Structure formats: structure tokens, C-alpha cells
Amino acid sequence: MNTYDILEERNKRALKGGGEKAVAKQKVAGKHTARERIDILLDDNTFVETDRFVLHDCHSYGMENKRYDGDGVVTGYGKIDGRLVYVYAYDFTVNGGSLGKANASKIVKLQKMALKTGAPIIALNDSGGARIQEGVNALSGYSEIFYQNVKASGVIPQISAIMGPCAGGACYSPALTDFILMVNETSYMFVTGPDVVKTVTHEELTKAELGGANTHSARSGVAHLVGRDEEETLMMIRELLSFIPSNNMEDGVITSSYDSGPRECPKLMSLIPENPNIPYDMKELIEEVVDEHYFFEIMGNFAQNILIGFARIGGRPVGIVANQPQYLAGVLDIDASDKAARFIRFCDCFDIPIVTFEDVPGFLPGQQQEHGGIIRHGAKIMYAYAEATVPKITLITRKAYGGAYIVMSSKETGCDVNLAYPNAEIAVMGADGAVNILYRKAAETDRAEAKKEYESLFSNPYRAAEKGYIDGIILPKDTRTAIMQALDMTQNKAETNPPKKHGNMPL
């Protein structure tokens, strides 16, 4: 056999992964192979594989008889919408996709190259975790991956898709990346699996209950997006990347479409009820304002009292943060603060303008919130907004009360353009609450009169506008035009924070 034939044979062997039986088992579980996932994710015929012939050198517990080309991780680079990306996919058909020193080195090499060339890196996780047979060598491999995750944070986008099990140390690399996607019913994440939990705490839980896609998207907040199947999940990655620059030194991709110019939004003139206690759907307002009425929501099932996601306004990608009056009246609580703060910081990392739609009655009161650290968690959103140097536009659509008004990108905390609707209420608190404090011992008629006086003085945007805290009061139908004008004006904004190693964000 000549050298060319040897190469062809090795290539064929590598492409088989763990063999026909292992691949068949993967298919029965409703999952694609590592290479199939990469082919679905990337533009056609753009994937270039690296380190295809890497082998482990472990000889413990019979591992010398389980050596496969590539060692259970497929690594390489390709393109998404013509843009360079790096990708690595754990191959569950090879030793359960377990991580050892050799395949960890493949991943680390790819991470370093992504950082050098300024391109996003995508991890497709389907792994049983650290390779037990390698002991501390496997742990060393994970440590190197985590270290590179941290080095790349804020420099290049890092995206993790959980395509199967993700247990133990395998969870922490995804947790260090910018976005985590999961597949409904076939992907799981947990530091300790159901068997260990049962032994230690005597709780009996299924994999789905402990760490399934629904659990992490709705309860823990670990997962940002969930796909119905693997194809949809991989398409979500492509769409997500369309809003994000390739690195922190590049500008976002500006696109033009039939709906990238100014237009009125007459529907908004009647969207917000006259009664301030009646909810409305903030998503309708956002979708009316953004290009093609399309809002790519992130973490839609978690902390639903606040909305985050990407959209385009005038062809320019923007990050959207908005209170949702339809859920808990749009109050800020522990989970909402964490959700918004991390998204704000991501947008700031990659120079994506932040547009805030504000309708917030305050922070959620109660023992559970106070004992859970709402002071500390609420400070995160304040810190994130104040730290951000990207263009920041805020529109107050209705309520803006107290400390919640301050933290939701107010003028005094560094917002560039602050707008309000004529019905906006900017005050320390609502009229009922204020009167209950100021006139708690007064007669009912006097309290009613005091309420009217308070509403006249404070339950409007004009006092704030007179002091310069609000730059403009606009009609709802002019919302899109006003925000586009603000984005155009601030597109060359240059601001830096004082020189320092890094701030000490409340965590």
C-alpha cells in the first residue's frame, strides 16, 4: 500500500467515528453524528477539519484497545453566511464523547486560533464528561479549555450548543461562553446526575427534571435558547451570529431591506391602556418599531418580566432590553436583574447599541427577594448600564418609579438619549403609594385630593423634561423615527471608562 492509499484509508477510518454500531445507536437516540451537525451548521462545502488523526496515549483500563482517529472530538473551521467561524463537536460514538488530554489539546489549539484571527467559536457538546480512565490528565484538559474560554470572553463570540448529555466538568465550559442553546427532549446539563443526587440527597429525579432543556430555559436560566430538534437549534446559532460582529474590534453588519427606513407606527397610539394598572404586551411595541417587525428574543421562558434580544433598526443590529408589563407588571426581581445585566454587558463587549423600553413600577418586594439578595442582584443591572460605553437609548413608555427608574438606563447613569411618551409617569413612586405615606392619617376626601395633586405634579414626564432628565417627549407613532435618529446621532460615540484592571461588579 503506497502513501496515498494509506492516507485514504486513514481518512475513511476517521470518518466512521466509533463505527457502524455506535453510529446506529446515536441515530436511535434521535441524534445526528458530530460531522452531520457541523454540515448542517456551516455553509455548504466550507468545513475544513483539523487534527483528524490525533490519538490518545492512555493505556489504563483497556483504553489501548479503544483508539480512534480524532479521539472523539471533530475540530475545524468553516463559514456561516460567508463569515469565518471555528467549530468543535464532541463525537458521542467514540468513547461516549469523553474528554481526555489529547482531544482537549485539539480544542485548545482551535480556541487559540479563533482568538488570533478574531472569529467566533462554536462548541457542539455531546459528551459524558471527563474520561475517567485518564484521571487527572482529563481534568487538566478541561482546565486548559476553561482558561481559554475566559481569555476569549469579550473578544470573540463564544456559543455552546448542548446536543446530548453534558455532565460534570463538561458543564463549565458552556457556562463560561456567551450563549447556551439546548435541544428539547434530547439534551441535558447537570453537574451531578440523577444517580448521584439520589445517593446524596435521596431525591428521585429524571434527567429531564434535573437538567433538561425546559428546566434550564425556564427555571435555572442556564439556557438562552431551546430548539425543537437539532436542525432548529443549529439554525438558531446561524441567526444569532447574524446580529453579532465577529470580534470586539469589528462593527456589526448593517443590512438594508424593504423596512430599513423611517416610518410611522400608528398602532402604538392605542396600544398602551389609559388605565396605568392594565397590562399590555411590550413585545407588540418592540415588533412594531424594529425592522420587518422581527425581534429575536433571548431567554424568553426565564424571568418573563423583562425582555432581552436582538433586532435591527434602520438596518443596524441593536440589543433590546424591555420591561414586560404583561408579567408581574414588569417589576425587577433577582432573576430579571441577572438576565438583563449579562445581556447588557454582552452588547457592550461587542459594541452593539442598547435600546431600552421602560415601563417599571419598581423592584419586587417581599422576604424571598430580600433574603435572596435583591439588593446585590439589582445592583448588577445598575452596574451593567453604567459601565456600558455603547450608544444607549431609553424610551419610557409608561411607569418609571423610584430605584427602578434609576437602574433602567436613566440620564444620570450615562444614557445618551432619553425619551418618553406623554403618558409617562416618572416619580419616586405611584400616586397611591405616595399618598399612603404622606397622608396616612388624612381623611379619605383629603387623600383623594392629594392624589390628584400628586398626579398633576409628578405622574407625567414634564417635570423630568424641565430638568433635562428627559431629552424629548414624543408621540407613540413617532417611536421608530425618534430611535433611528438617536442611533444615527450616536453611531460615532467614543467613550471610555477610567483606566483600571477591571471593575468589581456585584456578583
Side-chain angles (χ1 to χ4, degrees):
M1 187 178 290
N2 63 37
T3 55
Y4 296 154
D5 293 334
I6 292 172
L7 174 60
E8 186 176 356
E9 183 62 29
R10 288 290 295 268
N11 277 324
K12 287 180 180 178
R13 192 169 71 191
L15 294 173
K16 290 179 180 179
E20 292 180 4
K21 288 185 178 179
V23 170
K25 191 174 180 180
Q26 181 87 340
K27 296 292 187 180
V28 169
K31 300 192 294 182
H32 291 292
T33 66
R35 286 187 171 81
E36 287 173 342
R37 289 166 176 161
I38 291 172
D39 287 341
I40 294 169
L41 174 67
L42 300 180
D43 295 350
D44 292 343
N45 302 314
T46 63
F47 180 59
V48 179
E49 188 173 351
T50 60
D51 289 326
R52 176 177 284 181
F53 304 124
V54 164
L55 295 169
H56 71 74
D57 57 5
C58 176
H59 291 78
S60 302
Y61 300 99
M63 285 299 291
E64 66 274 13
N65 301 316
K66 299 178 181 179
R67 302 178 82 217
Y68 297 86
D69 286 319
D71 198 27
V73 175
V74 181
T75 58
Y77 56 93
K79 293 186 177 180
I80 291 180
D81 292 330
R83 296 164 59 197
L84 173 67
V85 298
Y86 293 82
V87 60
Y88 61 94
Y90 289 88
D91 186 351
F92 198 79
T93 70
V94 176
N95 296 319
S98 58
L99 186 110
K101 187 65 174 179
N103 57 27
S105 296
K106 291 175 57 174
I107 294 171
V108 170
K109 184 193 292 187
L110 202 73
Q111 289 177 303
K112 290 179 177 179
M113 187 57 69
L115 197 55
K116 286 179 185 178
T117 58
I121 187 163
I122 302 160
L124 306 181
N125 294 267
D126 189 359
S127 168
R131 188 171 291 168
I132 298 171
Q133 298 92 330
E134 293 196 27
V136 72
N137 281 337
L139 301 181
S140 173
Y142 269 132
S143 300
E144 292 184 50
I145 293 170
F146 302 162
Y147 184 75
Q148 293 302 322
N149 285 138
V150 175
K151 287 296 183 184
S153 182
V155 182
I156 56 173
Q158 301 179 85
I159 298 171
S160 298
I162 313 304
M163 313 299 288
C166 188
C171 295
Y172 290 109
S173 178
L176 291 168
T177 61
D178 298 306
F179 295 100
I180 296 175
L181 295 87
M182 295 185 73
V183 183
N184 193 34
E185 297 186 354
T186 60
S187 67
Y188 310 96
M189 292 183 76
F190 28 67
V191 175
T192 52
D195 293 339
V196 176
V197 170
K198 183 179 179 180
T199 301
V200 176
T201 69
H202 308 295
E203 297 172 281
E204 293 194 22
L205 298 165
T206 66
K207 288 191 293 184
E209 290 169 336
L210 184 62
N214 289 333
T215 295
H216 284 312
S217 65
R219 298 191 64 180
S220 72
V222 168
H224 298 83
L225 295 163
V226 175
R228 289 170 294 186
D229 52 33
E230 292 195 2
E231 288 85 354
E232 183 176 66
T233 303
L234 295 167
M235 290 303 104
M236 283 179 172
I237 295 175
R238 291 178 63 93
E239 186 167 13
L240 176 60
L241 281 172
S242 73
F243 293 100
I244 304 170
S246 292
N247 58 66
N248 64 338
M249 301 301 289
E250 287 190 6
D251 295 328
V253 179
I254 298 177
T255 60
S256 60
S257 71
Y258 72 89
D259 188 33
S260 55
R263 57 172 166 77
E264 287 194 344
C265 306
K267 181 180 177 181
L268 299 186
M269 296 297 287
S270 58
L271 176 66
I272 301 173
E274 290 186 16
N275 185 337
N277 296 317
I278 296 177
Y280 63 95
D281 188 357
M282 185 66 85
K283 284 186 192 177
E284 288 189 37
L285 192 153
I286 295 169
E287 289 169 353
E288 189 65 21
V289 170
V290 300
D291 291 4
E292 300 180 25
H293 308 281
Y294 183 65
F295 173 50
F296 185 67
E297 187 176 3
I298 306 292
M299 298 179 78
N301 295 324
F302 179 73
Q304 296 178 52
N305 38 323
I306 202 159
L307 303 169
I308 61 171
F310 296 105
R312 291 181 177 84
I313 298 179
R316 181 181 289 110
V318 297
I320 303 283
V321 179
N323 307 110
Q324 175 55 293
Q326 207 169 51
Y327 190 88
L328 293 176
V331 297
L332 290 174
D333 61 4
I334 289 170
D335 288 342
S337 298
D338 286 356
K339 173 180 172 178
R342 188 145 193 269
F343 181 73
I344 292 163
R345 299 193 88 207
F346 175 84
C347 291
D348 189 47
C349 285
F350 294 99
D351 206 29
I352 301 170
I354 301 167
V355 179
T356 303
F357 295 93
E358 181 177 351
D359 186 349
V360 61
F363 285 91
L364 183 64
Q367 177 178 295
Q368 183 179 5
Q369 288 290 306
E370 293 295 348
H371 289 188
I374 184 60
I375 295 171
R376 173 168 48 88
H377 289 273
K380 293 179 187 181
I381 189 170
M382 170 75 261
Y383 190 104
Y385 268 127
E387 179 189 44
T389 59
V390 295
K392 292 176 284 188
I393 318 299
T394 298
L395 170 65
I396 299 171
T397 63
R398 190 164 65 176
K399 297 175 184 176
Y401 292 163
Y405 155 74
I406 296 171
V407 306
M408 287 297 294
S409 197
S410 58
K411 175 63 68 177
E412 299 73 36
T413 56
C415 186
D416 299 299
V417 179
N418 294 74
L419 306 169
Y421 287 161
N423 60 310
E425 302 175 18
I426 306 170
V428 174
M429 61 180 64
D432 288 331
V435 169
N436 286 339
I437 293 173
L438 298 173
Y439 297 90
R440 62 167 58 93
K441 295 181 179 179
E444 191 62 37
T445 53
D446 292 337
R447 287 159 63 92
E449 190 63 32
K451 181 181 176 182
K452 289 181 182 179
E453 181 184 12
Y454 185 91
E455 288 175 343
S456 175
L457 285 172
F458 298 112
S459 295
N460 62 69
Y462 297 102
R463 180 63 62 90
E466 289 166 6
K467 300 294 182 181
Y469 306 144
I470 295 296
D471 298 304
I473 300 171
I474 64 170
L475 291 173
K477 67 182 178 67
D478 297 326
T479 302
R480 176 178 166 86
T481 299
I483 292 176
M484 285 185 67
Q485 291 169 337
L487 289 170
D488 286 341
M489 185 268 287
T490 57
Q491 66 178 322
N492 293 323
K493 175 186 176 183
E495 180 183 8
T496 57
N497 288 318
K500 52 186 169 182
K501 187 173 183 181
H502 57 73
N504 188 18
M505 184 182 187
L507 294 172

